[in-house]
Amino acid sequence: MAALAAFLHGLAVATAAASVALGLPELRPGTDPAVGWIGGGLILLAGGVADLHRRLARRQRDTLRRLDHLQKSVDALAERLEQRIAPGAETDNAVPSSAAHEAVLQEVKLLHTLVARLGEPRSPGEREPPAASRPARPEPQAPRVPDPQPAAGAEATPMDDAAVLEAVREALAADRIDIHLQPIVSLPQRKHRFFEVFSRVRAADGALILPDRYLEIAERAGLMAIIDNLLLVRCIQLIRETERRQHAIGFFCNMSAATLSDAAFMRQFLDLLARNQTLVPKLVFELSQQELRAGGAVTMGILSQLSRIGFRFSMDRVSDLDIDVDALLRHEIRYLKLDCTLLLDPALSPRVEALRRRLEGTGIDLIAEKIETEAQLDAILRSGIDFGQGYLFGGPRPARKPPRDNFAVN
């Protein structure tokens, strides 16, 4: 029906434009034919603007409808949780502590905040912090093989930027931002000690859109802070899941300058974590070397608040080995990720060894990332580095989504 309406609208506009272009000189003899063509062109332009306005209005209605559906789902979840902690409420299973329910309710409030922000109008010029303060965040390395997903789980056909942006917006509204985990292992045992958390956008047809395709587009549209914030909430949910299973595992989660600058979200997030100290040792926030060096007073202030709560940090995407170890310690940066190719570059070997000596006894651990072959691992082991990450130990794999009744809104 929409396609038929669009066709009829275009046909009507084209007919009117042609009538003016060809008929005006006939109706008013002496009129320059160019005037007729100009008039026809103006009608075409007006028709195009009207069609664009109609499409934007329809898209806005669709978005608002999806947001309303998601908002109702979140409201229903909050109501169920409140009923479960009400005095005298009875359930078939053992009732968790009120403190645990309060924590979950706080997570729901964070989801409320994010849902509300999806519906906020944005001015055409509104953007996230400039690229200098928020560089793109690549994957650990470009995968040599596709992520192990079903056939429908990979991006089937190329999408242009507009289609990718629309898919990201729809995925945010429909809660289709999936979480993938990549292990960080102890060396030489190869035992899983941490998982790094990555996001994947799942389109309506089930195709996965990888970060290297959508990050820059989402950033330009001002959506990266919302994606990062959802990622942080999912990290908290994953930690609760591992606590229930009594797994001693931690999670590395990227935190960008856009997220640190999101005052409303960070206030709620800090309040949630301050009330749940058991979550703190299992979550490591990761920032790039460039972001840490470019961080202003707001960024450093938020980092200070997080460190006072007890959080530790990791610095990745290191390109300059001239690192101030004292500054790392001041900001509670306890992990330093170095690219495997950088560590194994013979020309940089003296500087890498000097850095390793400076880190001895500081409590800062080196993590060699992008390890893909046994030969690379053998060389890394000879350098005495304690942790490794890369496709040799496993690529990003989808995390099991937390149960609906406890955490997530599906």
Side-chain angles (χ1 to χ4, degrees):
M1 184 63 71
L4 178 60
F7 173 76
L8 293 176
H9 173 81
L11 181 61
V13 171
T15 302
S19 298
V20 170
L22 300 175
L24 187 60
E26 298 293 334
L27 294 174
R28 301 188 62 180
T31 301
D32 190 336
V35 175
W37 288 108
I38 291 173
L42 290 174
I43 290 178
L44 281 176
L45 179 61
V49 170
D51 183 61
L52 177 61
H53 178 75
R54 179 180 58 81
R55 293 185 181 185
L56 290 175
R58 186 175 67 249
R59 181 176 298 179
Q60 184 178 29
R61 287 195 300 272
D62 292 342
T63 300
L64 290 175
R65 185 170 60 254
R66 290 194 298 269
L67 289 175
D68 182 63
H69 175 73
L70 181 57
Q71 185 71 60
K72 288 178 180 177
S73 299
V74 174
D75 290 340
L77 175 60
E79 184 178 352
R80 288 199 302 272
L81 290 171
E82 288 170 355
Q83 289 173 352
R84 290 175 65 182
I85 65 172
E90 297 181 359
T91 60
D92 295 333
N93 302 321
V95 179
S97 68
S98 60
H101 279 300
E102 176 62 27
V104 176
L105 283 174
Q106 286 180 295
E107 291 165 18
V108 173
K109 290 178 182 177
L110 287 179
L111 290 174
H112 267 294
T113 301
L114 298 178
V115 171
R117 287 185 54 198
L118 280 173
E120 290 176 359
R122 290 183 177 272
S123 61
E126 186 176 354
R127 294 290 185 269
E128 290 208 1
S133 64
R134 169 151 170 71
R137 292 172 301 164
E139 285 293 284
Q141 64 270 329
R144 295 169 296 165
V145 295
D147 281 354
Q149 297 292 330
E155 193 173 349
T157 56
M159 303 171 68
D160 60 26
D161 287 2
V164 170
L165 177 58
E166 181 63 18
V168 170
R169 290 188 185 278
E170 290 182 352
L172 284 167
D175 191 33
R176 290 198 306 268
I177 304 296
D178 292 342
I179 300 302
H180 283 55
L181 305 175
Q182 184 178 36
I184 299 173
V185 303
S186 59
L187 298 177
Q189 302 89 350
R190 305 194 190 192
K191 184 174 182 180
H192 290 188
R193 295 297 186 185
F194 304 94
F195 284 98
E196 183 165 359
V197 183
F198 300 99
S199 60
R200 297 284 191 273
V201 171
R202 183 162 38 90
D205 61 0
L208 289 181
I209 306 174
L210 301 182
D212 61 354
R213 183 68 185 94
Y214 74 77
L215 279 180
E216 183 179 352
I217 296 170
E219 182 178 349
R220 289 199 304 264
L223 296 176
M224 276 314 304
I226 300 177
I227 294 175
D228 286 349
N229 294 346
L230 284 170
L231 200 65
L232 287 175
V233 174
R234 294 287 186 245
C235 279
I236 295 298
Q237 296 169 349
L238 287 169
I239 291 173
R240 292 194 183 283
E241 190 72 15
T242 59
E243 279 187 329
R244 285 199 293 272
R245 300 180 185 181
Q246 298 181 337
H247 290 170
I249 201 78
F251 295 89
F252 278 59
C253 188
N254 280 284
M255 176 174 280
S256 66
T259 300
L260 290 172
S261 302
D262 187 349
F265 175 84
M266 288 306 300
R267 278 195 300 270
Q268 295 183 62
F269 191 70
L270 289 171
D271 183 58
L272 167 65
L273 296 173
R275 296 171 184 268
N276 297 273
Q277 286 289 326
T278 58
L279 305 180
V280 171
K282 296 186 177 182
L283 183 57
V284 178
F285 292 124
E286 193 160 85
L287 295 96
S288 72
Q289 183 180 49
Q290 183 178 350
E291 285 177 320
L292 285 168
R293 287 183 171 179
V298 173
T299 299
M300 293 300 107
I302 293 292
L303 291 183
S304 296
Q305 292 184 54
L306 289 169
S307 64
R308 282 197 294 270
I309 294 174
F311 278 102
R312 298 163 297 164
F313 303 94
S314 170
M315 183 168 77
D316 71 344
R317 299 194 295 284
V318 174
S319 58
D320 183 2
L321 291 176
D322 185 15
I323 295 172
D324 186 344
V325 176
D326 291 334
L328 298 184
L329 292 171
R330 283 197 306 272
H331 296 301
E332 293 295 330
I333 297 172
R334 291 294 181 260
Y335 299 94
L336 186 62
K337 283 189 175 182
L338 297 179
D339 192 303
C340 178
T341 56
L342 184 149
L343 287 169
L344 301 181
D345 186 344
L348 296 175
S349 179
R351 299 185 65 189
V352 170
E353 179 58 26
L355 174 61
R356 195 180 66 80
R357 287 197 301 268
R358 294 203 307 273
L359 293 176
E360 287 181 353
T362 63
I364 300 175
D365 288 314
L366 279 173
I367 300 175
E369 60 178 348
K370 303 184 183 180
I371 301 175
E372 298 190 359
T373 67
E374 292 289 347
Q376 289 176 328
L377 177 59
D378 289 341
I380 292 296
L381 290 177
R382 289 195 296 270
S383 68
I385 293 177
D386 295 326
F387 295 94
Q389 180 180 3
Y391 277 81
L392 180 63
F393 313 114
R397 298 292 185 269
R400 187 174 70 86
K401 206 166 189 180
R404 170 189 285 269
D405 289 341
N406 289 337
F407 307 112
V409 179
N410 288 324

